[in-house]
Amino acid sequence: MLRGLSEWFWQERLWFPEGLGWADLEDRDGRVYAKATDLWVALPIAFIFLVVRQVFERTVAMPLASLLGVKETVRIKASHNPTLESFYCNVTKNPTQSSIERLCKQNGSSERQVQRWFRRRRNQDRPNLLKKFREASWRFTFYLLAFIAGLAALIDKPWLYDLKEMWEGFPVLTLLPSQYWYYMIELGFYASLLFSVASDVKRKDFKEQIIHHLATILLISFSWCVNYIRAGTLIMLVHDSSDYLLESAKMFNYAGWRNACNYIFIVFAAIFIITRLVIFPFRIMYCTWIYPVTVYSPFFGYYFFNGLLLVLQCLHIFWAVLIIRMAVRFLTNNEKVDDERSDKDETDESDEEEEDAKKELKRNGPVQNGHAVHNNNHRKAE
């Protein structure tokens, strides 16, 4: 059964234009071609990335955060309350008004006290700034190095300047060492992001991020198998050209460097719009949709590849709306640029809440991560 499924999956009419097949990609005469089995190399690379990331965050990101002055917001812990904790964990983190009234009766507390407890409890579950900074610095480092490496690998290639060269001689295109490592490293990195998604900071576009990672992995893998490698390298370069700017803006935002964050974000927004909404759809996708059919008849792989590009383009439009909204708000009102995808700490704005917090701080002393800091060096006044 598995053998039959494998034969059906790898049949040539799904992967190649009519008259071409796997035999055309067999190594000969000193020419090397991409093979599906090469993709297994990405798995150990992904695990290496996971290890390197842990080392990087501890040895580089942490000292950098201290240097830039990344400071944690003091959060007051929610008091121990089994009834409210059970509701929070098993029912919902955001109770309705009717649920709050019912909890008040069960717990013997006022509505304000219950609402305050849920606000503080939600804040406890939100990731701290240091964790966000570590993740952003890791992605910034990779995207910047990947963009530089990709540019170095493509700077002397004719298809960087004339996109029709992507299909010159297709599918019998010799694999270059720079293309091999560019592909394997990019694929390994996105696989590592997928492996670590459960422990990373979850943003409001969590589902879109998962779709993006899966579509990217499929796109890279499929383009490798059918020798769409020239198109694939251009797509990866376009995506890497702006991502490192976004991550650097996040780093400065977490450090409280407002002006640096805002202006880097504006540069990022401009490059993102040019690359993702202009170059990607009207240049690269045009040369993957329109030009190939003048060279060979459409086949399943042609539709599948371009379908994945459409999924990416829909995500580009979704993120572009968020980016433009933030950029317009900054340019028109000079407001601070905030990541709309991130959950923010809920603040208690009432005078009563502020007074309660002050009383608690006076009673327990300075608070760090919800625990009082005891002064063991005090002495009794004589």
Side-chain angles (χ1 to χ4, degrees):
M1 180 179 176
L2 291 177
R3 182 177 180 181
L5 182 62
S6 176
E7 291 177 354
W8 174 86
F9 181 79
W10 294 108
Q11 56 185 315
E12 294 177 343
R13 67 183 183 86
L14 295 178
W15 298 81
F16 294 98
E18 186 177 356
L20 298 171
W22 299 112
D24 296 298
L25 299 183
E26 292 180 358
D27 297 347
R28 56 182 174 274
D29 301 328
R31 296 167 65 93
V32 179
Y33 301 97
K35 302 173 184 63
T37 53
D38 295 335
L39 297 176
W40 291 109
V41 176
L43 286 179
I45 291 177
F47 287 107
I48 291 173
F49 269 127
L50 293 175
V51 174
V52 171
R53 174 179 174 175
Q54 294 300 317
V55 175
F56 175 88
E57 290 187 358
R58 285 174 171 80
T59 60
V60 179
M62 292 286 285
L64 182 60
S66 178
L67 183 65
L68 293 179
V70 177
K71 297 180 180 179
E72 278 300 331
T73 302
V74 176
R75 294 172 178 172
I76 301 175
K77 289 187 66 176
S79 59
H80 178 67
N81 191 311
T83 302
L84 299 183
E85 183 69 24
S86 176
F87 187 92
Y88 180 88
C89 295
N90 301 320
V91 182
T92 179
K93 299 179 181 180
N94 297 279
T96 61
Q97 182 60 33
S98 60
S99 297
I100 290 177
E101 293 173 357
R102 186 170 63 254
L103 289 170
C104 289
K105 295 178 181 178
Q106 295 175 2
N107 201 53
S109 304
S110 66
E111 287 188 16
R112 184 179 294 277
Q113 289 174 325
V114 172
Q115 291 169 346
R116 182 187 307 159
W117 188 94
F118 274 95
R119 281 195 297 268
R120 291 179 176 179
R121 186 64 181 84
R122 286 192 294 268
N123 281 339
Q124 284 179 223
D125 283 349
R126 290 189 171 91
N128 56 46
L129 280 180
L130 192 57
K131 179 176 175 61
K132 292 180 180 180
F133 183 89
R134 293 200 309 263
E135 290 185 10
S137 60
W138 164 247
R139 290 193 295 264
F140 163 77
T141 303
F142 174 82
Y143 289 138
L144 178 60
L145 294 177
F147 175 67
I148 294 173
L151 196 60
L154 291 172
I155 195 69
D156 60 341
K157 304 301 186 294
W159 56 88
L160 178 63
Y161 310 98
D162 183 3
L163 297 185
K164 290 183 178 180
E165 290 287 335
M166 286 192 295
W167 308 110
E168 186 66 29
F170 175 83
V172 189
L173 303 174
T174 304
L175 178 65
L176 303 176
S178 59
Q179 294 173 327
Y180 175 86
W181 287 111
Y182 191 24
Y183 253 78
M184 294 302 111
I185 290 174
E186 287 274 356
L187 184 58
F189 177 74
Y190 281 104
S192 72
L193 290 182
L194 200 60
F195 295 152
S196 64
V197 72
S199 59
D200 287 346
V201 175
K202 289 183 174 59
R203 305 181 187 276
K204 294 178 181 178
D205 64 344
F206 175 75
K207 294 180 180 178
E208 288 80 5
Q209 287 284 357
I210 293 295
I211 294 173
H212 175 269
H213 295 339
L214 290 174
T216 301
I217 291 172
L218 281 174
L219 186 61
I220 293 174
S221 301
F222 181 81
S223 62
W224 177 267
C225 291
V226 296
N227 224 1
Y228 278 14
I229 294 176
R230 292 181 180 178
T233 53
L234 289 176
I235 294 169
M236 290 188 293
L237 182 67
V238 165
H239 281 73
D240 291 336
S241 63
S242 61
D243 287 341
Y244 66 91
L245 289 171
L246 175 62
E247 300 304 331
S248 63
K250 289 180 184 178
M251 292 167 62
F252 285 116
N253 180 41
Y254 301 146
W257 294 33
R258 175 176 176 178
N259 289 335
C261 167
N262 290 348
Y263 292 116
I264 291 176
F265 181 83
I266 294 303
V267 174
F268 157 74
I271 295 177
F272 183 95
I273 291 171
I274 292 172
T275 55
R276 308 288 182 93
L277 301 185
V278 179
I279 295 177
F280 183 75
F282 297 108
R283 294 285 293 158
I284 294 180
M285 288 186 66
Y286 177 85
C287 280
T288 59
W289 271 106
I290 306 301
Y291 186 72
V293 297
T294 65
V295 181
Y296 54 78
S297 301
F299 61 106
F300 172 79
Y302 163 84
Y303 295 112
F304 184 74
F305 180 76
N306 285 288
L308 291 175
L309 295 185
L310 280 177
V311 171
L312 286 183
Q313 186 57 29
C314 289
L315 292 172
H316 294 166
I317 295 172
F318 170 80
W319 284 316
V321 172
L322 299 180
I323 291 168
I324 292 172
R325 187 185 303 165
M326 288 186 284
V328 169
R329 188 166 62 240
F330 163 68
L331 292 173
T332 56
N333 301 323
N334 196 29
E335 295 182 8
K336 179 181 177 181
V337 172
D338 284 319
D339 190 352
E340 292 194 359
R341 304 174 305 154
S342 297
D343 288 330
K344 301 177 181 63
D345 282 3
E346 299 176 73
T347 56
D348 301 316
E349 299 176 352
S350 67
D351 293 337
E352 178 182 341
E353 182 72 12
E354 291 178 1
E355 189 63 25
D356 287 345
K358 290 177 182 178
K359 289 179 181 178
E360 185 165 347
L361 288 174
K362 288 180 180 179
R363 183 171 63 253
N364 297 326
V367 175
Q368 291 184 354
N369 296 328
H371 298 283
V373 178
H374 300 289
N375 181 9
N376 296 322
N377 297 318
H378 69 281
R379 60 183 181 181
K380 184 176 180 180
E382 297 180 357

